[in-house]
């Protein structure tokens, strides 16, 4: 079967390139969506130990973390200096016996083989290996992201219970049996998916969907959004909503509990009552289902139940592993899924962690996953706090990322801006009248919010009084500071960051505001390598710098400023239109006042 048009996400090549310097074996799986006439490869995963001996286990483990609807499309490996067909064929021979052991993969007509080019990864050679002819055919591909994928999300609750025997072997066998029974229920005809805010219910038995929902055989996945209405009623042609293909399409999980379909998995015989009088422990766990799947916008709707069911069954297996790995003394954790979208990937990962377990206890799991998906090993990217915030999920009393949407006009300039999310903290928030003295405190709170939202800490944003108490506790200030309206500066901000978050800071000093322009390269380098907001203190004022727009040739420079002196409400339009968050020229700074810039440095954690 010809693979048709093939597209590969550029993030795959960039991650492989960055991993090359870290001595990570570049051998693993390619995954994406494959159709008869096209293939979109959106991600890759290296084999856990860099070898082929656990290829079958790696294959199963991959599905437990990537969204449903995705398939293993191929493998990749490094060939050396040349990727010509004879060399690739010889290298690929080692894969064939392992591929034949993998249930599902050997049923494919062919598999893609990406032979990595050492010097320029985007010039790597792609082949299609046909299992029947046992031959490699060179395939053209383009490098780019797909805008034609839809994200589907299904949520619900499933309950499972099991006897807790004294022997661990029997315990794990009981848990496995119950999760397997749930998995079989989800895969059966008793499972259905309700499209949120609509009357659409999609069954695993797709033949029921067309007459029940008024769908046609030609209905595409993207057209599902036209049936969504906030009231839950059918959407008429006059009130049809616009497609929101860039957002997730939400479904609720339904399981039919009565009728022939619900009883199809039971033994059809007269009731038998078995009574056994004994004492035993029994445990019941509610499983919070939250799974993602991908489909093409123009796929027929009939692929939706299959994609969601695939995501659900994989998540149940992940929950099984989580319960088994983290149960202690007959205490069983609630396995909770977290959807991650690290900035280095073009696809989601869903990680199941036990509730009420601290980050340090899960470090080895995170390190292993970040290694396998070629993510940096010095940043917290897969902690529970790193979970992606879908529309409606995130609730905050503060505005997030107030700079988004602002434009600057430095001719030929290049922007270097804060990486990640932050909260806008300013005067008069939190029922605190700090007008005229609290700007540095507010800037510090914005800096701490950045570390919190990036998953570096679970600590709360400290109040003014708590900040003052920290400075007293470390011996920097006298006790009379606590509860006062005394200003603090950049040095005090750095002390609090170090004491409260264990974050070190670099202090950049300039004798006048005019001299700040000469530090453009250092500021650009900071936002490129560290990505944290900067607190700038000068005279009696403090500002937060979120980025620079700099033309290296002409020296033209603008600063992205978040001003903590704002006293109004959380109105983004006012804040941007009035310049409380905006791009400022060199004239913004007092040309005769010295400034200290507190530049937080990233801790080396995972």
């Amino acid at each position: 079967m010809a693979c048709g048009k093939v597209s590969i996400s550029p993030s795959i090549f960039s991650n492989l390139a960055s991993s090359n310097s870290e001595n990570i074996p570049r051998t693993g799986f390619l995954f994406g969506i494959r159709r008869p006439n096209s293939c979109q490869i959106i991600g890759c995963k290296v084999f856990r130990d860099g070898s082929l001996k656990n290829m079958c286990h790696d294959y199963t483990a991959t599905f437990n973390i990537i969204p449903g609807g995705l398939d293993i499309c191929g493998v990749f490996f490094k060939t050396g200096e040349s990727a010509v067909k004879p060399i690739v064929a010889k290298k690929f021979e080692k894969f064939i016996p392992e591929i034949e052991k993998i249930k599902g993969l050997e049923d494919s007509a062919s598999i893609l083989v990406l032979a990595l080019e050492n010097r320029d990864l985007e010039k790597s050679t792609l082949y299609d290996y046909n299992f029947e002819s046992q031959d490699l055919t060179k395939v053209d591909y383009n490098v780019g992201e797909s805008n034609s994928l839809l994200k589907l999300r299904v949520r619900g609750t499933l309950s499972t219970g099991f006897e807790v025997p004294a022997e661990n072997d029997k315990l794990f066998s009981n848990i496995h049996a119950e999760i397997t029974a749930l998995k079989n229920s989800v895969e059966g005809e008793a499972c259905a998916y309700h499209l949120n805010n609509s009357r659409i219910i999609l069954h695993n038995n797709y033949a029921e969907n067309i007459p029940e929902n008024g769908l046609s055989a030609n209905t595409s996945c993207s057209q599902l959004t036209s049936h969504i209405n906030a009231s839950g009623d059918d959407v008429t042609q006059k009130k049809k909503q616009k497609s929101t293909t860039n957002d997730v399409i939400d479904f609720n999980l339904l399981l039919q509990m009565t009728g022939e379909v619900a009883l199809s998995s039971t033994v059809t015989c007269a009731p038998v009552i078995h009574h056994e009088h004994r004492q035993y422990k029994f445990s019941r766990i509610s499983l919070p289902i939250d799974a993602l799947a991908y489909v093409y916008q123009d796929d027929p709707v009939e692929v939706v139940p299959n994609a969601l069911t695939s995501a659900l069954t994989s998540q149940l297996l992940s929950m099984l592993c989580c319960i088994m790995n983290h149960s202690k003394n007959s205490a069983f954790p609630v396995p909770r899924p977290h959807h991650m979208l690290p900035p280095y990937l073009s696809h989601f990962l869903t990680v199941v962690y036990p509730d009420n377990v601290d980050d340090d206890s899960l470090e080895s799991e995170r390190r292993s996953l970040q290694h396998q998906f070629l993510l940096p090993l010095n940043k917290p990217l897969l902690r529970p706090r790193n979970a992606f915030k879908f529309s409606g999920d995130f609730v905050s009393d503060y505005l997030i990322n107030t700079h988004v949407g602002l434009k600057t006009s430095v001719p030929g300039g290049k922007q270097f801006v804060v990486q990640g999310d932050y909260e806008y903290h300013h005067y008069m928030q939190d029922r605190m009248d700090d007008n005229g003295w609290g700007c540095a405190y507010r800037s510090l709170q914005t800096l701490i919010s950045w570390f919190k939202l990036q998953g570096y800490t679970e600590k709360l944003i400290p109040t003014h009084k708590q900040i003052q108490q920290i400075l007293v506790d470390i011996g920097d200030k006298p006790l009379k500071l606590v509860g006062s309206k005394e200003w603090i500066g950049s040095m005090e901000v750095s002390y609090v960051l170090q004491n409260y978050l264990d974050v070190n800071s670099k202090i950049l000093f300039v004798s006048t505001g005019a001299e700040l322009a000469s530090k453009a390269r250092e500021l650009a380098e900071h936002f490129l390598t560290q990505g944290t907001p900067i607190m700038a203190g000068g005279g009696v004022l403090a500002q937060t710098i979120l980025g620079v727009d700099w033309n290296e040739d002409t020296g033209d420079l603008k600063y992205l400023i978040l001003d903590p002196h704002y006293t109004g409400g959380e109105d983004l339009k006012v804040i941007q239109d009035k310049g409380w968050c905006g791009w400022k020229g060199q004239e913004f700074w007092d040309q005769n006042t010295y400034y200290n810039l507190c530049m937080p440095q990233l801790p080396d954690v995972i």
Side-chain angles (χ1 to χ4, degrees):
M1 178 182 68
C3 58
K5 182 180 178 181
V6 178
S7 181
I8 301 179
S9 169
S11 65
I12 294 176
F13 294 113
S14 60
N15 290 342
L16 284 168
S18 62
S19 69
N20 194 32
S21 60
E22 299 177 12
N23 200 29
I24 295 176
R26 294 192 292 177
T27 305
F29 286 122
L30 300 169
F31 54 85
I33 294 186
R34 190 166 186 174
R35 297 290 185 260
N37 298 316
S38 67
C39 181
Q40 174 69 36
I41 300 174
I42 65 173
C44 68
K45 175 179 176 288
V46 299
F47 296 148
R48 184 170 301 186
D49 56 4
S51 69
L52 305 182
K53 62 181 181 180
N54 292 319
M55 188 174 177
C56 188
H57 178 270
D58 280 328
Y59 177 84
T60 303
T62 301
F63 284 106
N64 289 351
I65 192 170
I66 65 175
L70 300 182
D71 292 311
I72 300 296
C73 302
V75 296
F76 66 90
F77 51 78
K78 185 169 58 176
T79 58
E81 292 300 321
S82 175
V84 295
K85 182 176 176 179
I87 294 177
V88 174
K90 185 175 181 179
K91 182 90 172 180
F92 184 64
E93 284 179 0
K94 300 177 182 179
F95 285 77
I96 296 175
E98 301 302 321
I99 290 174
E100 291 175 345
K101 298 176 185 177
I102 300 176
K103 184 179 180 181
L105 195 56
E106 86 284 0
D107 295 334
S108 304
S110 64
I111 187 171
L112 294 172
V113 179
L114 182 64
L116 301 177
E117 168 65 44
N118 279 344
R119 296 177 182 176
D120 187 350
L121 286 172
E122 291 196 12
K123 293 183 179 179
S124 299
T125 307
L126 184 67
Y127 294 91
D128 189 38
Y129 178 79
N130 187 285
F131 287 108
E132 183 176 352
S133 65
Q134 298 184 350
D135 190 29
L136 288 168
T137 303
K138 189 175 179 180
V139 176
D140 292 329
Y141 66 91
N142 66 76
V143 178
E145 301 289 4
S146 173
N147 295 320
S148 60
L149 295 182
L150 278 178
K151 297 184 289 289
L152 312 177
R153 186 184 188 189
V154 58
R155 284 175 283 183
T157 302
L158 294 175
S159 181
T160 186
F162 44 85
E163 183 180 341
V164 183
E167 302 86 356
N168 277 340
D169 289 345
K170 290 184 178 180
L171 170 62
F172 292 149
S173 176
N174 290 349
I175 297 174
H176 187 276
E178 291 301 321
I179 296 294
T180 300
L182 276 181
K183 179 174 172 288
N184 292 338
S185 296
V186 168
E187 292 174 331
E189 294 184 11
C191 180
Y193 306 98
H194 170 230
L195 178 64
N196 276 14
N197 299 322
S198 80
R199 294 182 179 179
I200 301 294
I201 296 178
L202 300 178
H203 296 262
N204 271 345
N205 181 3
Y206 185 73
E208 300 179 21
N209 294 327
I210 293 178
E212 283 193 10
N213 298 305
L215 304 174
S216 73
N218 297 322
T219 301
S220 67
C221 292
S222 62
Q223 291 174 313
L224 282 175
T225 57
S226 66
H227 293 265
I228 298 174
N229 184 278
S231 67
D233 296 329
D234 279 339
V235 181
T236 64
Q237 292 297 322
K238 293 182 180 180
K239 296 183 178 180
K240 186 177 292 187
Q241 290 187 337
K242 293 182 179 179
S243 173
T244 54
T245 54
N246 290 327
D247 298 326
V248 66
I249 299 179
D250 285 298
F251 290 84
N252 292 318
L253 173 63
L254 304 177
L255 277 180
Q256 186 173 337
M257 305 303 293
T258 60
E260 292 184 7
V261 171
L263 299 175
S264 60
S265 61
T266 63
V267 178
T268 55
C269 65
V272 176
I273 299 176
H274 174 79
H275 177 74
E276 184 177 346
H277 184 72
R278 62 186 176 90
Q279 288 186 339
Y280 64 93
K281 292 182 180 180
F282 190 85
S283 182
R284 183 165 293 280
I285 303 176
S286 292
L287 305 177
I289 298 298
D290 188 347
L292 291 178
Y294 284 141
V295 294
Y296 278 124
Q297 293 181 26
D298 56 0
D299 274 341
V301 173
E302 66 185 59
V303 308
V304 170
N306 292 335
L308 292 176
T309 298
S310 170
L312 278 178
T313 54
S314 294
Q315 187 161 108
L316 286 172
L317 293 176
S318 293
M319 289 181 165
L320 171 63
C321 294
C322 180
I323 294 171
M324 288 184 168
N325 292 337
H326 295 281
S327 59
K328 293 181 180 179
N329 302 323
S330 300
F332 303 98
V334 174
R336 191 169 301 279
H338 303 271
H339 303 303
M340 311 291 186
L341 186 60
Y344 306 90
L345 302 181
S346 58
H347 59 86
F348 280 89
L349 300 176
T350 300
V351 187
V352 175
Y353 291 133
D355 271 357
N356 303 319
V357 174
D358 61 83
D359 284 338
D360 291 342
S361 301
L362 300 171
E363 180 179 343
S364 61
E365 291 184 38
R366 295 196 304 272
R367 184 174 297 277
S368 175
L369 288 172
Q370 290 184 209
H371 163 81
Q372 292 172 60
F373 286 92
L374 301 175
L375 297 171
L377 299 178
N378 61 350
K379 293 182 179 180
L381 298 171
L382 299 179
R383 293 185 180 187
R385 291 198 62 83
N386 295 122
F388 183 81
K389 305 299 187 298
F390 292 97
S391 176
D393 284 356
F394 191 77
V395 178
S396 175
D397 294 330
Y398 310 96
L399 291 176
I400 306 293
N401 299 342
T402 51
H403 71 285
V404 174
L406 292 172
K407 296 181 180 180
T408 181
S409 56
V410 173
K414 183 177 180 181
Q415 292 187 14
F416 302 85
V417 298
V418 61
Q419 301 177 33
D421 301 327
Y422 61 88
E423 296 172 342
Y424 181 21
H425 290 264
H426 57 78
Y427 278 168
M428 306 299 287
Q429 287 178 330
D430 314 311
R431 300 180 181 179
M432 176 73 175
D433 184 358
D434 57 347
N435 193 354
W437 63 274
C439 52
Y441 295 87
R442 296 299 187 178
S443 182
L444 171 58
Q445 289 176 332
T446 293
L447 268 57
I448 292 175
S449 77
W450 185 93
F451 284 96
K452 183 178 180 181
L453 293 178
Q454 266 53 247
Y456 283 90
T457 182
E458 295 184 67
K459 292 184 176 181
L460 299 177
I461 306 297
T463 64
H464 295 51
K465 191 172 182 179
Q466 289 170 333
I467 292 170
Q468 293 169 339
Q469 187 64 56
I470 291 171
L471 293 171
V472 171
D473 291 343
I474 65 175
D476 180 66
K477 298 292 182 183
L479 183 59
K480 66 179 182 179
L481 173 71
V482 179
S484 72
K485 296 183 178 181
E486 185 175 331
W487 299 326
I488 61 173
S490 301
M491 294 304 300
E492 288 82 3
V493 167
S494 71
Y495 298 154
V496 174
L497 287 173
Q498 205 288 322
N499 182 269
Y500 192 63
L501 299 182
D502 199 21
V503 168
N504 294 322
S505 300
K506 175 182 176 182
I507 301 297
L508 181 64
F509 171 78
V510 291
S511 56
T512 66
E515 187 185 338
L516 196 57
S518 66
K519 304 298 181 181
R521 187 178 303 279
E522 292 180 62
L523 294 175
E525 182 67 16
H526 171 84
F527 288 111
L528 185 64
T529 60
Q530 304 299 315
T532 61
I534 295 173
M535 182 272 187
V540 297
L541 299 177
Q543 301 288 350
T544 306
I545 304 177
L546 299 177
V548 292
D549 189 356
W550 177 45
N551 185 320
E552 185 176 0
D553 295 329
T554 65
D556 289 347
L557 176 68
K558 282 193 175 182
Y559 308 85
L560 182 55
I561 300 298
L562 185 67
D563 194 334
H565 302 91
Y566 174 63
T567 58
E570 309 310 299
D571 189 325
L572 180 61
K573 188 175 188 305
V574 170
I575 290 167
Q576 290 189 346
D577 290 350
K578 299 296 184 180
W580 295 105
C581 181
W583 290 96
K584 311 291 183 180
Q586 185 59 36
E587 70 282 355
F588 175 77
W589 306 103
D590 189 324
Q591 304 301 293
N592 300 313
T593 298
Y594 73 87
Y595 287 89
N596 282 322
L597 274 61
C598 176
M599 306 165 70
Q601 307 295 293
L602 294 178
D604 189 357
V605 296
I606 195 169

